[in-house]
């Protein structure tokens, strides 16, 4: 199972710019999808396991200098890490901006909602660290791990990996999720 944690992926200034951009958008209650036997059966569900506000950066927002620069960094890093032989990462179709306030959390899940759109890896970009609790957790072979809270850090992992965000006790947690798009490299035999 692929995982990678990197500190200082973004600068303090870049994090602040993205938080300001996210807070300038219309933040709504984030929704969830339900899968049965690997098939999407319902989407845009409100349920008790997903309590956070957010928005998506798509379309014209992707042309903003801060997001164009971030997209370039993500594509470069994804291809340098080369987690899956034969895949070339080539773009970012959207960013998911998240704001968790006091009492907000996200239950254990994998990113099936993005895997059906072709995702292989997930990025969680930590935009701040001035809040209480709210750690990102993940499981491999039923062993639970925590990710260090550090502004500007990124946790990259296989989109099938079970992960969660613990309940926020105080303050606001800002993060962004990204699922880079890809092509499959053809090989000649």
């Amino acid at each position: 199972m692929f995982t990678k944690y990197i500190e200082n992926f973004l600068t303090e200034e870049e994090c602040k710019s993205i938080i300001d951009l996210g807070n300038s958008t219309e933040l709504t209650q984030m929704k969830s999808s339900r899968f049965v036997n690997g098939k999407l059966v319902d989407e845009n569900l409100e349920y008790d396991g997903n309590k956070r506000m957010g928005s998506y950066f798509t379309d014209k927002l992707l042309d903003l200098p801060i997001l164009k620069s971030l997209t370039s960094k993500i594509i470069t890093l994804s291809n340098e890490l080369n987690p899956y032989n034969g895949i070339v990462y080539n773009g970012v179709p959207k960013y998911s901006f998240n704001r968790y306030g006091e009492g907000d959390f996200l239950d254990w899940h994998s990113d099936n909602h993005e895997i059906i759109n072709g995702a292989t890896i997930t990025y969680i970009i930590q935009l701040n660290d001035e809040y209480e609790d709210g750690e990102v957790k993940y499981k491999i072979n039923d062993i639970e791990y925590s990710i260090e809270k550090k502004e500007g850090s990124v946790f990259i992992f296989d989109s099938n990996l079970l992960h969660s965000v613990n309940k926020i006790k105080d303050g606001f947690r800002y993060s962004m999720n990204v699922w880079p798009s890809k092509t499959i490299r053809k090989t000649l035999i």
Side-chain angles (χ1 to χ4, degrees), residues 1-7 9 77-78 80-84 121-126 136 138 140 146-148 153-159 161:
M1 186 69 59
F2 172 77
T3 64
K4 181 77 173 174
Y5 175 81
I6 300 170
E7 293 185 2
F9 181 68
L77 179 58
S78 298
E80 284 174 359
L81 292 173
N82 190 25
Y84 303 105
I121 57 175
T122 300
Y123 279 65
I124 298 176
I125 301 170
Q126 185 70 38
V136 172
Y138 68 97
I140 297 178
S146 289
I147 300 300
E148 181 182 354
S153 67
V154 62
F155 178 51
I156 310 159
F157 55 94
D158 183 311
S159 296
L161 185 71

Side-chain angles (χ1 to χ4, degrees), residues 47 49 52 100 106-113 124 137 157 159-165 177 179:
Y47 89 109
R52 63 191 163 120
Y100 294 79
L106 185 57
D107 270 346
W108 290 102
H109 67 286
S110 61
D111 288 344
N112 290 329
H113 61 291
I124 298 176
K137 303 255 187 185
F157 55 94
S159 296
N160 286 303
L161 185 71
L162 282 177
H163 58 286
S164 67
V165 177
N177 298 357
W179 302 271

Side-chain angles (χ1 to χ4, degrees), residues 5-169:
Y5 175 81
I6 300 170
E7 293 185 2
N8 303 313
F9 181 68
L10 294 181
T11 66
E12 181 180 340
E13 182 179 303
E14 289 170 319
C15 290
K16 184 179 177 342
S17 293
I18 293 168
I19 291 170
D20 289 346
L21 173 62
N23 282 329
S24 75
T25 64
E26 184 179 336
L27 299 178
T28 60
Q29 179 69 40
M30 295 302 270
K31 310 284 184 178
S32 295
S33 300
R34 186 166 64 96
F35 291 82
V36 175
N37 296 324
K39 292 186 181 188
L40 178 66
V41 295
D42 209 352
E43 58 186 335
N44 294 323
L45 299 172
E46 291 186 32
Y47 89 109
D48 293 338
N50 182 3
K51 189 167 182 322
R52 63 191 163 120
M53 301 295 286
S55 66
Y56 292 103
F57 300 159
T58 60
D59 305 322
K60 292 179 184 176
L61 288 178
L62 296 176
D63 291 329
L64 293 174
I66 185 69
L67 295 182
K68 283 182 90 157
S69 172
L70 181 55
T71 295
S72 179
K73 287 172 90 166
I74 287 170
I75 292 168
T76 299
L77 179 58
S78 298
N79 288 314
E80 284 174 359
L81 292 173
N82 190 25
Y84 303 105
N85 190 24
I87 291 179
V88 177
Y89 295 94
N90 57 12
V92 171
K94 70 179 175 186
Y95 290 91
S96 175
F97 175 79
N98 305 289
R99 183 185 75 191
Y100 294 79
E102 185 177 332
D104 290 351
F105 63 96
L106 185 57
D107 270 346
W108 290 102
H109 67 286
S110 61
D111 288 344
N112 290 329
H113 61 291
E114 294 300 331
I115 292 170
I116 65 169
N117 295 319
T120 57
I121 57 175
T122 300
Y123 279 65
I124 298 176
I125 301 170
Q126 185 70 38
L127 298 173
N128 73 325
D129 53 18
E130 298 170 359
Y131 55 90
E132 227 180 301
D133 291 341
E135 294 83 5
V136 172
K137 303 255 187 185
Y138 68 97
K139 289 182 185 180
I140 297 178
N141 298 325
D142 293 326
I143 299 172
E144 193 173 299
Y145 302 89
S146 289
I147 300 300
E148 181 182 354
K149 291 191 299 191
K150 186 163 168 88
E151 178 183 67
S153 67
V154 62
F155 178 51
I156 310 159
F157 55 94
D158 183 311
S159 296
N160 286 303
L161 185 71
L162 282 177
H163 58 286
S164 67
V165 177
N166 283 352
K167 191 178 285 189
I168 303 292
K169 186 173 181 180

